[in-house]
Amino acid sequence: LLAYAVKELFPEAQVTIGPVIENGFYYDFSFHRPFTPDDLVALEKRMAELAKKDEPVTRTVMPRDQAVQFFKDQGEHYKAEIIASIPQGEDVSLYTEGKFTDLCRGPHVPSTGKLKVFKLMKLAGAYWRGDSKNEMLQRIYGTAWLKKEDQDAYLHMLEEAEKRDHRRLGRHLDLFHFQDEAPGLVFWHPKGWSIWQTVEQYMRKVYQDEGYHEVKAPQILDRGLWEKSGHWDNYKENMFTTESENRSYALKPMNCPGHVQIFNSGLHSYRELPLRYGEFGQCHRNEPSGALHGLMRVRGFTQDDGHIFCTEDQIQSEVASFDKAVRAVYTDFGFSEVDVKLALRPAKRVGDDAIWDKAEEALRGALRASGQTWEELPGEGAFYGPKIEYHLKDSIGRSWQCGTMQVDFSMPARLGAEYVAEDNARKVPVMLHRAIVGSLERFIGILIENHAGNMPAWLAPTQAVVLNISENSAAYAQQVQQLLKKQGFRVDADLRNEKITYKIREHALQKLPYLLVVGDKERESNTVAVRARGGVDLGVMPLDAFVARLQQDISQKVGPELN
């Protein structure tokens, strides 16, 4: 319907490809001038007019060569090129509505009148067939729904998402920034690094509680190791490389080969298994510049990465233990809805089908034993093994894939990992790759957007600020700040000679959990006037009472809104 409207209003435009995507669709066009927002308005109006005609949508089948000629005769050279790339002898399906015919595998609605709720969303550029050497096309994004109320809810969610954009909040709250001299790499400011450290130290405690040994592997490894591991053949286009003294190296895109080297540094007995290594491993991946997106998609990132060396018999118990731990972590970070998906063998992979059959069934068995339900994703596993994915639903209904558990029968053998079995034979361990938050950068971006910058007290870079009303109470404000800091709280003091209303308004915009106002009365009674985030006046309370409240917020990982 969109392509039909474009051809009606802009007959010289050529249509290329237009697939369905999550929450909508897009279509790419070649046209001699840029489309404008006004063009989108006109196109949407024309789409509605065409839909009202309720024209039937009919399907025909043509031999490939006949279809190529059909589109050439229509002046649609991009369509002709697409069809020409299909093997000879194949038939292709075409769909027609009114005066417009398009190449599509279908199926389609029976008539245009079924299309009632849709909206064109935005314009973007896209290279023909994704190759930067080709022409830049114009991409029109849209969304379509069965019910208007569903579309309204989706558009409202997008408005909320824009308000919560972590890039905007990162600037506003002075957390981090990006700049052209380091594309895809983060400059962390003190407040943002405070959030990072809180997340990292929390995850370090999880490592310890779950029996992991924390390790650290090198950033740069010889190309030969990446060839042995399978990364070079399957992942080299995403790897940064360098040379020194006639040797080729690569920055690690993943931590697993380094952990295998640590395992291989000594001889291990079956009695030591499962052996669990964990690392806050910094990785680099050569992502296309157009794919970079704030903290969500970067070129340099740190994972809470772990690798478990175990026997086949231990897979189920290890996966079950991980499942329990990962859910407890997500609950602490404020995520109550978690979906589980199982990503299966991709086309580009290492290992034969028998190994993949065994690996996939091992994960299915572990999920069954844990009482989980899951969705299967054919073709979306890692090149070395299938993986369980944990998808978190945030406060406005968006889904984020974070944690993974992958079973790998191939890489340990490729890299020579062995242990001494009970019968004194040498056997290759199974390697489980696991992460809970995944990329810390991305997870912090998710946290910022989930909480709209209103971080719970345990994560907030500044948990409270003390504001003096006059010069007479400045010394007392400093005293309160120091007392709270000695108890381990992150507290600032604002002693500027400004009106108290100005200071309250300014710090409220910083989304701090608590503002503590002190004047002569508070100084004389050794109290603080407490304002919680959102302008909630909690009244005057003894300092000990505020300490107890803040400690409760932190221990329960909430607040102050939920306390």
Side-chain angles (χ1 to χ4, degrees):
L1 187 63
L2 168 60
Y4 188 2
V6 168
K7 292 298 290 183
E8 289 271 300
L9 296 185
F10 309 103
E12 295 177 9
Q14 290 196 53
V15 294
T16 65
I17 59 169
V20 171
I21 57 174
E22 186 178 7
N23 293 323
F25 60 91
Y26 69 78
Y27 215 122
D28 291 345
F29 301 93
S30 174
F31 192 47
H32 62 83
R33 69 160 176 84
F35 289 130
T36 67
D38 287 342
D39 292 333
L40 291 192
V41 174
L43 285 167
E44 196 173 295
K45 180 182 177 184
R46 186 61 179 145
M47 289 169 70
E49 292 168 353
L50 293 170
K52 279 182 181 177
K53 291 183 177 182
D54 197 22
E55 295 176 319
V57 180
T58 57
R59 180 177 186 266
T60 56
V61 176
M62 278 188 191
R64 187 201 76 159
D65 292 345
Q66 184 181 339
V68 169
Q69 191 59 50
F70 173 83
F71 281 101
K72 281 184 177 178
D73 292 345
Q74 301 284 324
E76 299 292 348
H77 301 293
Y78 291 90
K79 286 291 181 187
E81 183 179 328
I82 292 169
I83 300 170
S85 66
I86 296 171
Q88 277 192 327
E90 295 282 334
D91 289 337
V92 298
S93 60
L94 309 181
Y95 284 83
T96 299
E97 52 187 277
K99 295 180 288 184
F100 179 69
T101 298
D102 203 356
L103 166 72
C104 193
R105 65 182 177 183
H108 280 258
V109 293
S111 67
T112 59
K114 302 291 184 185
L115 306 174
K116 293 182 170 65
V117 184
F118 51 82
K119 184 172 180 59
L120 300 184
M121 302 296 293
K122 63 179 180 178
L123 296 162
Y127 292 110
W128 168 234
R129 294 199 155 179
D131 189 337
S132 60
K133 298 186 181 75
N134 292 336
E135 177 193 352
M136 175 69 78
L137 304 173
Q138 297 187 66
R139 177 168 295 177
I140 299 177
Y141 284 95
T143 189
W145 301 80
L146 285 173
K147 299 177 183 177
K148 187 175 187 304
E149 52 265 37
D150 291 339
Q151 178 167 287
D152 290 344
Y154 172 67
L155 296 176
H156 176 69
M157 184 273 286
L158 291 183
E159 290 177 14
E160 278 297 308
E162 188 172 348
K163 293 177 193 172
R164 294 162 180 261
D165 189 310
H166 72 281
R167 296 166 297 178
R168 183 179 66 82
L169 289 171
R171 291 190 298 272
H172 174 67
L173 301 176
D174 193 25
L175 304 177
F176 56 83
H177 82 273
F178 296 88
Q179 61 188 61
D180 288 343
E181 287 79 1
L185 301 168
V186 189
F187 290 83
W188 288 100
H189 300 192
K191 291 179 181 179
W193 194 243
S194 170
I195 298 174
W196 174 292
Q197 284 298 315
T198 303
V199 174
E200 181 178 323
Q201 296 310 321
Y202 172 92
M203 294 309 303
R204 179 166 280 114
K205 180 70 163 50
V206 173
Y207 276 164
Q208 295 165 354
D209 291 346
E210 296 298 313
Y212 286 80
H213 303 280
E214 191 172 340
V215 297
K216 189 72 174 174
Q219 287 285 103
I220 299 174
L221 294 166
D222 189 278
R223 170 179 164 172
L225 182 63
W226 299 112
E227 290 173 343
K228 286 181 185 176
S229 70
H231 287 84
W232 192 257
D233 289 337
N234 292 276
Y235 209 73
K236 62 185 175 186
E237 65 274 11
N238 294 100
M239 297 170 69
F240 287 102
T241 58
T242 186
E243 291 189 0
S244 175
E245 297 179 346
N246 298 317
R247 290 180 69 180
S248 296
Y249 300 88
L251 271 72
K252 63 177 179 180
M254 303 177 189
N255 299 296
C256 31
H259 288 192
V260 177
Q261 306 315 301
I262 295 172
F263 181 87
N264 289 351
S265 67
L267 186 62
H268 298 283
S269 163
Y270 70 94
R271 292 187 180 91
E272 297 175 68
L273 305 185
L275 183 57
R276 308 178 188 96
Y277 292 146
E279 179 180 2
F280 294 99
Q282 190 171 5
C283 300
H284 289 82
R285 296 180 185 174
N286 191 12
E287 301 282 3
S289 59
L292 300 177
H293 180 75
L295 297 177
M296 304 302 193
R297 192 77 174 266
V298 289
R299 287 178 172 166
F301 59 95
T302 300
Q303 291 179 305
D304 67 316
D305 211 358
H307 294 92
I308 303 167
F309 297 89
C310 65
T311 67
E312 285 187 45
D313 292 341
Q314 293 168 333
I315 293 174
Q316 187 167 303
S317 61
E318 287 300 305
V319 174
S321 176
F322 175 76
D323 182 78
K324 185 178 179 182
V326 79
R327 291 175 182 280
V329 169
Y330 295 152
T331 297
D332 278 352
F333 280 110
F335 299 99
S336 57
E337 292 187 61
V338 182
D339 293 325
V340 178
K341 301 185 182 183
L342 181 57
L344 305 175
R345 69 194 74 183
K348 196 173 183 180
R349 59 183 184 266
V350 297
D352 60 29
D353 284 342
I355 285 177
W356 278 86
D357 288 342
K358 184 164 63 171
E360 290 172 354
E361 194 49 44
L363 289 183
R364 287 192 187 98
L367 287 172
R368 287 190 204 102
S370 298
Q372 300 295 343
T373 58
W374 68 91
E375 175 189 348
E376 298 201 346
L377 305 174
E380 296 193 22
F383 72 84
Y384 47 79
K387 58 180 177 176
I388 299 170
E389 298 178 349
Y390 291 85
H391 294 250
L392 315 182
K393 189 159 288 185
D394 70 12
S395 57
I396 59 172
R398 296 173 299 178
S399 182
W400 303 94
Q401 191 259 304
C402 289
T404 58
M405 166 60 82
Q406 306 169 22
V407 61
D408 183 356
F409 286 98
S410 298
M411 195 179 302
R414 294 173 70 99
L415 296 180
E418 293 180 332
Y419 69 95
V420 179
E422 200 166 357
D423 60 0
N424 286 324
R426 300 292 180 93
K427 291 189 176 180
V428 177
V430 178
M431 187 178 183
L432 304 180
H433 308 242
R434 44 66 79 217
I436 295 180
V437 302
S439 158
L440 267 72
E441 286 82 355
R442 181 171 174 272
F443 190 70
I444 290 170
I446 293 168
L447 286 174
I448 292 168
E449 295 201 1
N450 181 60
H451 296 291
N454 298 300
M455 306 303 277
W458 76 286
L459 287 170
T462 304
Q463 294 164 329
V465 63
V466 188
L467 313 174
N468 66 312
I469 294 175
S470 68
E471 185 64 28
N472 291 340
S473 50
Y476 178 61
Q478 285 182 305
Q479 180 186 341
V480 170
Q481 179 200 17
Q482 293 306 313
L483 285 169
L484 293 172
K485 288 181 74 171
K486 283 180 181 178
Q487 299 211 39
F489 301 125
R490 297 185 290 273
V491 181
D492 289 338
D494 185 347
L495 309 178
R496 292 175 299 166
N497 185 24
E498 299 282 358
K499 289 183 178 179
I500 191 63
T501 51
Y502 173 83
K503 291 199 281 190
I504 288 172
R505 184 169 61 253
E506 186 176 80
H507 289 287
L509 291 173
Q510 291 298 303
K511 302 178 182 286
L512 304 185
Y514 291 103
L515 307 182
L516 308 180
V517 179
V518 297
D520 293 340
K521 288 190 295 185
E522 288 77 19
R523 173 172 53 82
E524 291 166 4
S525 59
N526 202 31
T527 58
V528 287
V530 182
R531 296 172 68 93
R533 188 162 47 211
V536 180
D537 188 350
L538 299 179
V540 176
M541 62 178 73
L543 193 55
D544 289 347
F546 173 73
V547 167
R549 181 185 176 93
L550 185 50
Q551 285 174 335
Q552 185 178 2
D553 284 356
I554 294 168
S555 65
Q556 294 180 352
K557 295 184 169 55
V558 297
E561 295 85 351
L562 298 179
N563 193 329

